[in-house]
Amino acid sequence: MSRTVIHGGLVITASDEIHADVLVEGGRVAALAAPGTDAAAGWSAERRIDATGKYVIPGGVDAHTHMEMPFGGTYAADTFETGTRAAAWGGTTTIVDFAIQSMGRSLREGLDAWFEKADGRCAVDYGFHMILSDVNESSLKEMDRLVAEGITSFKLFMAYPGVFYSDDGQILRAMQRASGNGGLIMMHAENGIAIDVLVEQALAEGRTDPRYHGDVRKVALEAEATHRAVQLARVAGAPLYVVHVSADEAVAEIAAARHKGLPVFGETCPQYLFLSTDNLAEPDFEGAKYVCSTPLRPREHQEALWRGLRNNELQVVSTDHCPFCFSGQKEMGRGDFSKIPNGMPGVEHRMDLLHQAVVEGHISRRRWIEIACAAPARMFGLYPRKGTIAPGTDADIVVYDPEAEQVLSAETHHMNVDYSAYEGKRITGRVETVLSRGVPVIEDGAYVGHAGHGAYVPRGLSQNL
Ligand code: URP
Ligand code: ZN
Ligand code: ZN
């Protein structure tokens, strides 16, 4: 059985920071011991990693990605191969992507199609949520079977009428089913019916630039939908996870629900923490690079998001990685912002951006690991196999250099997209080595992994409830 020792580093988990030597055996963490144990006892190992002056952290768990997603008349530009490789570069060792049920089709057909896309191609481990586009008697029954198989979370949309949209009755039925089978409902909370009216009016008045995408997708319509989702979940007796929360008033709705003791959880994404409507307003159609939904908000909203992350009103930071190239894809919406494919790249930069948040004092080191590794693993039934470093867990381990400096750029990133949403941003901290189940994927800043190493991980029920 292959053995690796990581010695001399500061091991950071969501609960502890300890200087320790780590022994990895056969893909799992075998032991943590006092620093110097390896030097004194001479653990036998094929590979020794000197982590002196470095952090030793769990591999990131990105619970919200869309590789190869068909959307807005095109496909997200990262395949499972390119996207999971980029994830590895950024210290993320597990993704949970979204399989899609097409209108009029079964959940099973959608799921099979996503297994086909991912199988044999991933650099790191992966699981699936299921997007419900067509809630009916038969898809409701299928939910039970999927939960039993390890697809334990289901995304519903209050936005995108005619595409993924579900009405309140369909949402209530899906929530009732989840309440019975233990599944977790994930909600895209925006009032899509009202937004479509505002889109039509904006275009009729000649407001066609990317920044109007942000204008029409109003804060009030995110907050209203969040409130409605909470009430529907309450009536159904189901837990609720609100995805990509961007507005201060939506955070307030989640906080109020949690204050009442309701099992309501919230996720935000780096783009809402670091970017704003200023980016959407960039001239020469450059704002299209930042079109995603929920939309970027005025900078003032960021403080509520950071506070929410510190206070546990928000539990998870995922990327909602859904990249479209500027050239040929985002450009589809020149002259009509509603035709810009919605989504942004990010899977490679989440761990670094959140480390930058540590450097800037927004969150502590342990909170960094909690929101990027442990909480998503618990939320989606992967803990403690993923999300922490302890005897018996998968040896998904990142050696992180907290002093290294880097500048984010499309020239140097590994995502299959022709721009960076963070072009020129300086970051303190960098991934040095990444192990996925004990196997090196990134070694001294070079990719040494391969497509097909990443394995499908069936998930248990959410452990946050
Ligand atoms: O703009 C976004 N977020 N695109 C991906 C689909 C979604 O709603 O998560
Ligand atoms: Zn969404
Ligand atoms: Zn998404």
mmCIF file of all heavy atoms in Angstrom, residues 203-231:
data_model
loop_
_atom_site.group_PDB
_atom_site.id
_atom_site.type_symbol
_atom_site.label_atom_id
_atom_site.label_comp_id
_atom_site.label_asym_id
_atom_site.label_seq_id
_atom_site.Cartn_x
_atom_site.Cartn_y
_atom_site.Cartn_z
ATOM 1 N N LEU A 203 -35.884 46.183 -22.927
ATOM 2 C CA LEU A 203 -35.474 46.044 -24.331
ATOM 3 C C LEU A 203 -36.312 46.964 -25.221
ATOM 4 O O LEU A 203 -35.782 47.612 -26.132
ATOM 5 C CB LEU A 203 -35.615 44.585 -24.783
ATOM 6 C CG LEU A 203 -34.651 43.599 -24.097
ATOM 7 C CD1 LEU A 203 -34.935 42.164 -24.545
ATOM 8 C CD2 LEU A 203 -33.187 43.949 -24.373
ATOM 9 N N ALA A 204 -37.612 47.070 -24.928
ATOM 10 C CA ALA A 204 -38.494 47.938 -25.729
ATOM 11 C C ALA A 204 -38.062 49.395 -25.632
ATOM 12 O O ALA A 204 -38.269 50.179 -26.565
ATOM 13 C CB ALA A 204 -39.939 47.769 -25.266
ATOM 14 N N GLU A 205 -37.462 49.765 -24.497
ATOM 15 C CA GLU A 205 -37.009 51.151 -24.306
ATOM 16 C C GLU A 205 -35.569 51.352 -24.760
ATOM 17 O O GLU A 205 -34.964 52.390 -24.495
ATOM 18 C CB GLU A 205 -37.150 51.532 -22.823
ATOM 19 C CG GLU A 205 -38.600 51.711 -22.394
ATOM 20 C CD GLU A 205 -38.772 51.613 -20.878
ATOM 21 O OE1 GLU A 205 -37.759 51.695 -20.147
ATOM 22 O OE2 GLU A 205 -39.922 51.431 -20.444
ATOM 23 N N GLY A 206 -34.976 50.346 -25.355
ATOM 24 C CA GLY A 206 -33.618 50.480 -25.888
ATOM 25 C C GLY A 206 -32.531 50.296 -24.847
ATOM 26 O O GLY A 206 -31.363 50.599 -25.108
ATOM 27 N N ARG A 207 -32.897 49.805 -23.674
ATOM 28 C CA ARG A 207 -31.868 49.522 -22.643
ATOM 29 C C ARG A 207 -31.392 48.094 -22.882
ATOM 30 O O ARG A 207 -31.967 47.148 -22.347
ATOM 31 C CB ARG A 207 -32.467 49.720 -21.254
ATOM 32 C CG ARG A 207 -32.790 51.191 -20.972
ATOM 33 C CD ARG A 207 -33.303 51.424 -19.564
ATOM 34 N NE ARG A 207 -34.720 51.083 -19.456
ATOM 35 C CZ ARG A 207 -35.240 50.273 -18.548
ATOM 36 N NH1 ARG A 207 -34.470 49.682 -17.664
ATOM 37 N NH2 ARG A 207 -36.524 50.022 -18.523
ATOM 38 N N THR A 208 -30.350 47.963 -23.688
ATOM 39 C CA THR A 208 -29.954 46.632 -24.157
ATOM 40 C C THR A 208 -28.574 46.187 -23.657
ATOM 41 O O THR A 208 -28.171 45.049 -23.892
ATOM 42 C CB THR A 208 -29.933 46.593 -25.701
ATOM 43 O OG1 THR A 208 -28.965 47.558 -26.160
ATOM 44 C CG2 THR A 208 -31.289 46.922 -26.300
ATOM 45 N N ASP A 209 -27.828 47.107 -22.994
ATOM 46 C CA ASP A 209 -26.456 46.784 -22.560
ATOM 47 C C ASP A 209 -26.451 45.800 -21.381
ATOM 48 O O ASP A 209 -27.436 45.705 -20.647
ATOM 49 C CB ASP A 209 -25.731 48.058 -22.111
ATOM 50 C CG ASP A 209 -25.360 48.923 -23.302
ATOM 51 O OD1 ASP A 209 -25.488 48.433 -24.441
ATOM 52 O OD2 ASP A 209 -24.961 50.082 -23.083
ATOM 53 N N PRO A 210 -25.290 45.127 -21.187
ATOM 54 C CA PRO A 210 -25.202 44.132 -20.098
ATOM 55 C C PRO A 210 -25.630 44.676 -18.735
ATOM 56 O O PRO A 210 -26.200 43.944 -17.929
ATOM 57 C CB PRO A 210 -23.715 43.758 -20.090
ATOM 58 C CG PRO A 210 -23.264 43.983 -21.489
ATOM 59 C CD PRO A 210 -24.071 45.139 -22.010
ATOM 60 N N ARG A 211 -25.359 45.973 -18.481
ATOM 61 C CA ARG A 211 -25.665 46.451 -17.124
ATOM 62 C C ARG A 211 -27.166 46.376 -16.813
ATOM 63 O O ARG A 211 -27.564 46.292 -15.650
ATOM 64 C CB ARG A 211 -25.128 47.848 -16.905
ATOM 65 C CG ARG A 211 -25.838 48.946 -17.622
ATOM 66 C CD ARG A 211 -25.041 50.216 -17.408
ATOM 67 N NE ARG A 211 -25.084 51.023 -18.596
ATOM 68 C CZ ARG A 211 -25.597 52.233 -18.605
ATOM 69 N NH1 ARG A 211 -26.085 52.759 -17.502
ATOM 70 N NH2 ARG A 211 -25.606 52.925 -19.728
ATOM 71 N N TYR A 212 -28.013 46.378 -17.844
ATOM 72 C CA TYR A 212 -29.459 46.296 -17.579
ATOM 73 C C TYR A 212 -29.865 44.901 -17.096
ATOM 74 O O TYR A 212 -30.928 44.734 -16.501
ATOM 75 C CB TYR A 212 -30.252 46.746 -18.813
ATOM 76 C CG TYR A 212 -29.963 48.205 -19.112
ATOM 77 C CD1 TYR A 212 -29.225 48.581 -20.224
ATOM 78 C CD2 TYR A 212 -30.380 49.189 -18.221
ATOM 79 C CE1 TYR A 212 -28.917 49.917 -20.462
ATOM 80 C CE2 TYR A 212 -30.077 50.530 -18.445
ATOM 81 C CZ TYR A 212 -29.346 50.887 -19.567
ATOM 82 O OH TYR A 212 -29.037 52.199 -19.786
ATOM 83 N N HIS A 213 -29.019 43.917 -17.344
ATOM 84 C CA HIS A 213 -29.250 42.582 -16.766
ATOM 85 C C HIS A 213 -29.343 42.712 -15.243
ATOM 86 O O HIS A 213 -30.222 42.121 -14.605
ATOM 87 C CB HIS A 213 -28.111 41.642 -17.162
ATOM 88 C CG HIS A 213 -28.132 40.316 -16.455
ATOM 89 N ND1 HIS A 213 -28.904 39.260 -16.855
ATOM 90 C CD2 HIS A 213 -27.460 39.895 -15.348
ATOM 91 C CE1 HIS A 213 -28.716 38.239 -16.037
ATOM 92 N NE2 HIS A 213 -27.851 38.588 -15.106
ATOM 93 N N GLY A 214 -28.426 43.501 -14.686
ATOM 94 C CA GLY A 214 -28.439 43.721 -13.238
ATOM 95 C C GLY A 214 -29.624 44.560 -12.798
ATOM 96 O O GLY A 214 -30.216 44.318 -11.744
ATOM 97 N N ASP A 215 -30.001 45.527 -13.619
ATOM 98 C CA ASP A 215 -31.117 46.426 -13.282
ATOM 99 C C ASP A 215 -32.454 45.688 -13.162
ATOM 100 O O ASP A 215 -33.231 45.929 -12.245
ATOM 101 C CB ASP A 215 -31.287 47.463 -14.403
ATOM 102 C CG ASP A 215 -30.552 48.741 -14.111
ATOM 103 O OD1 ASP A 215 -29.661 48.711 -13.232
ATOM 104 O OD2 ASP A 215 -30.852 49.758 -14.762
ATOM 105 N N VAL A 216 -32.716 44.812 -14.137
ATOM 106 C CA VAL A 216 -34.046 44.182 -14.155
ATOM 107 C C VAL A 216 -34.164 43.048 -13.125
ATOM 108 O O VAL A 216 -35.269 42.754 -12.656
ATOM 109 C CB VAL A 216 -34.432 43.645 -15.558
ATOM 110 C CG1 VAL A 216 -34.512 44.765 -16.561
ATOM 111 C CG2 VAL A 216 -33.471 42.548 -16.033
ATOM 112 N N ARG A 217 -33.047 42.453 -12.763
ATOM 113 C CA ARG A 217 -33.107 41.349 -11.796
ATOM 114 C C ARG A 217 -32.967 41.964 -10.400
ATOM 115 O O ARG A 217 -31.939 41.879 -9.753
ATOM 116 C CB ARG A 217 -32.031 40.299 -12.107
ATOM 117 C CG ARG A 217 -32.117 39.775 -13.530
ATOM 118 C CD ARG A 217 -31.189 38.622 -13.804
ATOM 119 N NE ARG A 217 -31.784 37.354 -13.447
ATOM 120 C CZ ARG A 217 -32.495 36.572 -14.256
ATOM 121 N NH1 ARG A 217 -32.698 36.922 -15.510
ATOM 122 N NH2 ARG A 217 -33.006 35.442 -13.831
ATOM 123 N N LYS A 218 -34.039 42.573 -9.974
ATOM 124 C CA LYS A 218 -34.021 43.464 -8.809
ATOM 125 C C LYS A 218 -33.775 42.712 -7.498
ATOM 126 O O LYS A 218 -34.202 41.571 -7.333
ATOM 127 C CB LYS A 218 -35.363 44.200 -8.703
ATOM 128 C CG LYS A 218 -35.747 44.939 -9.969
ATOM 129 C CD LYS A 218 -35.982 46.393 -9.695
ATOM 130 C CE LYS A 218 -36.234 47.181 -10.951
ATOM 131 N NZ LYS A 218 -35.072 47.966 -11.377
ATOM 132 N N VAL A 219 -33.139 43.441 -6.582
ATOM 133 C CA VAL A 219 -32.932 42.927 -5.218
ATOM 134 C C VAL A 219 -34.272 42.458 -4.637
ATOM 135 O O VAL A 219 -34.378 41.372 -4.051
ATOM 136 C CB VAL A 219 -32.316 44.039 -4.335
ATOM 137 C CG1 VAL A 219 -32.400 43.685 -2.854
ATOM 138 C CG2 VAL A 219 -30.876 44.308 -4.756
ATOM 139 N N ALA A 220 -35.320 43.282 -4.813
ATOM 140 C CA ALA A 220 -36.638 42.940 -4.232
ATOM 141 C C ALA A 220 -37.147 41.609 -4.778
ATOM 142 O O ALA A 220 -37.847 40.874 -4.075
ATOM 143 C CB ALA A 220 -37.642 44.058 -4.539
ATOM 144 N N LEU A 221 -36.783 41.304 -6.030
ATOM 145 C CA LEU A 221 -37.295 40.063 -6.635
ATOM 146 C C LEU A 221 -36.490 38.841 -6.205
ATOM 147 O O LEU A 221 -36.977 37.718 -6.270
ATOM 148 C CB LEU A 221 -37.344 40.206 -8.162
ATOM 149 C CG LEU A 221 -38.286 41.315 -8.649
ATOM 150 C CD1 LEU A 221 -38.239 41.434 -10.169
ATOM 151 C CD2 LEU A 221 -39.725 41.068 -8.171
ATOM 152 N N GLU A 222 -35.257 39.064 -5.755
ATOM 153 C CA GLU A 222 -34.508 37.967 -5.120
ATOM 154 C C GLU A 222 -35.030 37.770 -3.695
ATOM 155 O O GLU A 222 -35.263 36.634 -3.258
ATOM 156 C CB GLU A 222 -32.995 38.258 -5.102
ATOM 157 C CG GLU A 222 -32.193 37.107 -4.492
ATOM 158 C CD GLU A 222 -30.686 37.367 -4.360
ATOM 159 O OE1 GLU A 222 -30.164 38.314 -4.993
ATOM 160 O OE2 GLU A 222 -30.028 36.620 -3.607
ATOM 161 N N ALA A 223 -35.228 38.888 -2.997
ATOM 162 C CA ALA A 223 -35.688 38.793 -1.594
ATOM 163 C C ALA A 223 -37.090 38.182 -1.521
ATOM 164 O O ALA A 223 -37.366 37.313 -0.684
ATOM 165 C CB ALA A 223 -35.666 40.176 -0.954
ATOM 166 N N GLU A 224 -37.959 38.625 -2.430
ATOM 167 C CA GLU A 224 -39.342 38.098 -2.430
ATOM 168 C C GLU A 224 -39.337 36.593 -2.686
ATOM 169 O O GLU A 224 -40.026 35.828 -2.010
ATOM 170 C CB GLU A 224 -40.172 38.837 -3.493
ATOM 171 C CG GLU A 224 -41.628 38.396 -3.606
ATOM 172 C CD GLU A 224 -41.839 37.156 -4.473
ATOM 173 O OE1 GLU A 224 -41.114 36.933 -5.467
ATOM 174 O OE2 GLU A 224 -42.748 36.366 -4.119
ATOM 175 N N ALA A 225 -38.562 36.169 -3.668
ATOM 176 C CA ALA A 225 -38.533 34.731 -3.996
ATOM 177 C C ALA A 225 -37.922 33.937 -2.841
ATOM 178 O O ALA A 225 -38.378 32.827 -2.519
ATOM 179 C CB ALA A 225 -37.741 34.508 -5.284
ATOM 180 N N THR A 226 -36.901 34.501 -2.204
ATOM 181 C CA THR A 226 -36.291 33.808 -1.063
ATOM 182 C C THR A 226 -37.317 33.640 0.049
ATOM 183 O O THR A 226 -37.464 32.558 0.633
ATOM 184 C CB THR A 226 -35.057 34.604 -0.556
ATOM 185 O OG1 THR A 226 -34.174 34.805 -1.664
ATOM 186 C CG2 THR A 226 -34.329 33.870 0.553
ATOM 187 N N HIS A 227 -38.064 34.722 0.310
ATOM 188 C CA HIS A 227 -39.109 34.658 1.353
ATOM 189 C C HIS A 227 -40.147 33.583 1.000
ATOM 190 O O HIS A 227 -40.525 32.770 1.850
ATOM 191 C CB HIS A 227 -39.785 36.031 1.473
ATOM 192 C CG HIS A 227 -40.823 36.081 2.533
ATOM 193 N ND1 HIS A 227 -40.523 36.312 3.859
ATOM 194 C CD2 HIS A 227 -42.166 35.876 2.473
ATOM 195 C CE1 HIS A 227 -41.640 36.271 4.568
ATOM 196 N NE2 HIS A 227 -42.646 36.000 3.754
ATOM 197 N N ARG A 228 -40.568 33.587 -0.263
ATOM 198 C CA ARG A 228 -41.599 32.627 -0.691
ATOM 199 C C ARG A 228 -41.072 31.197 -0.586
ATOM 200 O O ARG A 228 -41.778 30.287 -0.126
ATOM 201 C CB ARG A 228 -42.002 32.971 -2.139
ATOM 202 C CG ARG A 228 -43.189 32.221 -2.676
ATOM 203 C CD ARG A 228 -43.874 32.970 -3.829
ATOM 204 N NE ARG A 228 -42.960 33.728 -4.654
ATOM 205 C CZ ARG A 228 -42.515 33.346 -5.865
ATOM 206 N NH1 ARG A 228 -42.903 32.203 -6.378
ATOM 207 N NH2 ARG A 228 -41.696 34.118 -6.557
ATOM 208 N N ALA A 229 -39.833 30.995 -0.985
ATOM 209 C CA ALA A 229 -39.246 29.646 -0.900
ATOM 210 C C ALA A 229 -39.207 29.177 0.555
ATOM 211 O O ALA A 229 -39.519 28.016 0.862
ATOM 212 C CB ALA A 229 -37.843 29.650 -1.491
ATOM 213 N N VAL A 230 -38.846 30.089 1.449
ATOM 214 C CA VAL A 230 -38.796 29.730 2.877
ATOM 215 C C VAL A 230 -40.188 29.315 3.354
ATOM 216 O O VAL A 230 -40.349 28.302 4.051
ATOM 217 C CB VAL A 230 -38.259 30.916 3.719
ATOM 218 C CG1 VAL A 230 -38.486 30.671 5.209
ATOM 219 C CG2 VAL A 230 -36.780 31.171 3.420
ATOM 220 N N GLN A 231 -41.201 30.094 2.962
ATOM 221 C CA GLN A 231 -42.562 29.790 3.443
ATOM 222 C C GLN A 231 -43.066 28.459 2.868
ATOM 223 O O GLN A 231 -43.715 27.679 3.564
ATOM 224 C CB GLN A 231 -43.541 30.930 3.094
ATOM 225 C CG GLN A 231 -43.190 32.275 3.733
ATOM 226 C CD GLN A 231 -42.848 32.169 5.217
ATOM 227 O OE1 GLN A 231 -43.492 31.443 5.975
ATOM 228 N NE2 GLN A 231 -41.804 32.877 5.640
#
